[in-house]
Amino acid sequence: GGSLSIEKVIGGLEPYEFSIDGGDFGNVGTPAPGTPIIIPDLAPGSHTLTIRDQKGCFSPTVDFVVNPTEIT
């Protein structure tokens, strides 16, 4: 599988929770400043990401694609 790296969330209040493809929201922790948030173990293909802050406010949904790992 692949992973999603989120460099920065702008706006809202930490901690943030993340939902992939409309699934349950989960908190992946608060990384050190300057460290990206990593969401691991994503299957190849098209996905959607929604972010929710501690007040329950939602981000616009973001579409992204995880490319399959190339076997050499």
Side-chain angles (χ1 to χ4, degrees):
S3 63
L4 174 64
S5 175
I6 302 169
E7 297 296 322
K8 186 175 189 177
V9 177
I10 299 172
L13 296 173
E14 293 183 39
Y16 300 107
E17 295 180 311
F18 302 90
S19 170
I20 302 294
D21 299 329
D24 292 337
F25 279 88
N27 185 328
V28 294
T30 303
T35 303
I37 297 165
I38 304 294
I39 300 175
D41 303 321
L42 297 171
S46 297
H47 297 279
T48 59
L49 167 72
T50 305
I51 302 171
R52 179 173 68 188
D53 75 358
Q54 73 169 230
K55 287 186 161 185
C57 297
F58 295 90
S59 70
T61 300
V62 176
D63 297 318
F64 67 97
V65 174
V66 174
N67 293 319
T69 303
E70 184 177 322
I71 300 174
T72 57

